[in-house]
Amino acid sequence: HWIYPSERQFYEALRRKNHSPSPTTIASIVPIHNAVNERAWSSILSDWELRSPGARRANAGCGGPRLRSFSGDSTRLTPRARIYSWLGYERPFDRHDWVVERCGGEAVEYVIDFYRGRGGGLSFFLDVRPKLNSWAGWKLRLGRLVGL
């Protein structure tokens, strides 16, 4: 898929975001971070790109979709997260925006809200969905709504 950051790169990225991680904990954090990103990618594939008949056709013939780019911004709430927070739910602790490229070059943007899981510990809930900024995103969401 992609190359994950080294422990040093991860540490420096956290420091740039004004976090002060202990260098000794980074060795534990990096594998968790990578596993959560793998879970997000797995959800994009199984819940969206390989589930929808139209997306399956768009991904045929080139080995499947690939991650074109991503960005993270824990300070920006998605519209869904904002509405949920108004209703009293916990805000996500992070947000990622991923651009997935299908065969033929079509790009579909996804948003991922990262929430703490129930029961404490290392439990996470990921809310992964296509953005509604393209016809492809709308088709995926509408298809899921009607069971396709």
Side-chain angles (χ1 to χ4, degrees):
H1 297 306
W2 46 79
I3 298 172
Y4 284 112
S6 68
E7 291 177 13
R8 175 95 177 140
Q9 291 169 319
F10 195 84
Y11 177 79
E12 294 300 329
L14 288 175
R15 290 190 41 90
R16 280 193 305 276
K17 294 179 181 180
N18 294 322
H19 296 291
S20 52
S22 162
T24 57
T25 61
I26 293 296
S28 300
I29 294 172
V30 170
I32 295 166
H33 171 268
N34 296 348
V36 170
N37 281 332
E38 287 291 337
R39 195 157 97 193
W41 180 248
S42 177
S43 180
I44 286 172
L45 292 179
S46 64
D47 296 345
W48 299 101
E49 290 295 316
L50 302 179
R51 184 177 185 174
S52 160
R56 276 197 311 271
R57 279 190 301 277
N59 287 314
C62 73
R66 67 179 190 87
L67 182 64
R68 180 192 288 176
S69 65
F70 69 93
S71 63
D73 187 350
S74 60
T75 63
R76 281 183 43 224
L77 289 178
T78 61
R80 180 185 289 182
R82 184 174 296 109
I83 290 168
Y84 285 170
S85 71
W86 291 339
L87 295 174
Y89 292 97
E90 183 177 343
R91 291 175 163 221
F93 66 85
D94 202 2
R95 168 196 170 151
H96 284 187
D97 295 82
W98 291 15
V99 179
V100 172
E101 184 175 314
R102 294 177 171 173
C103 296
E106 178 187 19
V108 181
E109 294 184 46
Y110 285 84
V111 64
I112 305 157
D113 286 322
F114 295 78
Y115 293 91
R116 294 182 212 305
R118 294 186 180 151
L122 293 175
S123 176
F124 300 95
F125 170 73
L126 304 179
D127 186 4
V128 180
R129 61 211 182 271
K131 287 185 176 182
L132 296 176
N133 64 350
S134 69
W135 177 236
W138 277 96
K139 284 193 303 189
L140 286 166
R141 293 261 202 117
L142 291 171
R144 183 174 237 187
L145 182 68
V146 298
L148 295 176

